[in-house]
Amino acid sequence: VFAHMVAAGNDYVIPSGATLRTMADNTANTFLGDSLKLAGTIAFKKTADMADKVKVLTFPKLIADGGTLNNEYENVNAFELAGNLEIPEGKTLTVLNQGDATTSKARNFKISSTTTGSGTLYVSLGGSSTSGTSSMLELSGDWSEFGPDCRRVG
């Protein structure tokens, strides 16, 4: 997905109000630029035949600037954000991981990146599915350099 848009040695921005939708494919993707500043939204998508697999997206440096990570695929094993994530002081990142109350599946998201900064991470997990399963956000990777501000909203 990223190979057609970016090149190493460059920094990129998703501006406020804009959305970058990942390809609805079955492959892991690595952002080829040096960094991506996120003020808008990254909408995570994949295909139905990948329903039981995790799609990994790796960023050398994803910098939160009030942006949103939006999981738009309903599945227990959905998406993983890998690489390096920075949430600078005074900046926010919102993770929308809304379960769909009309289906039997929750939406899960994993952040396994090395995460730094002292900004705020907002998490919106949404409600339960018809089967009673809840959406989940898993935080793994190295969070030792991240400030203590993580809040659940919604």
Side-chain angles (χ1 to χ4, degrees):
V1 62
F2 300 124
H4 303 291
M5 302 177 358
V6 299
N10 296 316
D11 299 312
Y12 296 87
V13 175
I14 298 175
S16 179
T19 298
L20 172 67
R21 181 182 174 269
T22 65
M23 296 294 291
D25 64 14
N26 299 341
T27 59
N29 298 113
T30 298
F31 184 76
L32 300 177
D34 287 356
S35 71
L36 178 64
K37 184 180 280 189
L38 180 60
T41 299
I42 298 176
F44 290 83
K45 301 289 261 182
K46 65 181 182 178
T47 57
D49 60 335
M50 196 173 171
D52 62 343
K53 296 177 178 59
V54 175
K55 180 171 180 168
V56 179
L57 287 101
T58 303
F59 291 87
K61 188 172 187 180
L62 179 63
I63 305 165
D65 190 20
T68 300
L69 301 175
N70 188 5
N71 179 357
E72 294 187 350
Y73 186 84
E74 59 175 64
N75 189 275
V76 173
N77 298 314
F79 294 100
E80 180 177 343
L81 180 69
N84 295 288
L85 170 63
E86 179 184 351
I87 307 174
E89 181 177 357
K91 302 297 182 179
T92 63
L93 176 66
T94 300
V95 177
L96 295 179
N97 203 33
Q98 303 289 334
D100 187 344
T102 63
T103 71
S104 62
K105 297 186 178 185
R107 295 180 180 177
N108 293 342
F109 197 99
K110 178 179 181 179
I111 299 177
S112 65
S113 57
T114 296
T115 304
T116 60
S118 58
T120 302
L121 174 65
Y122 290 105
V123 179
S124 180
L125 296 177
S128 297
S129 65
T130 57
S131 67
T133 57
S134 295
S135 294
M136 180 182 75
L137 173 66
E138 178 184 340
L139 304 176
S140 62
D142 182 358
W143 288 74
S144 63
E145 299 296 320
F146 181 69
D149 204 356
C150 182
R151 304 175 191 192
R152 182 173 178 174
V153 296

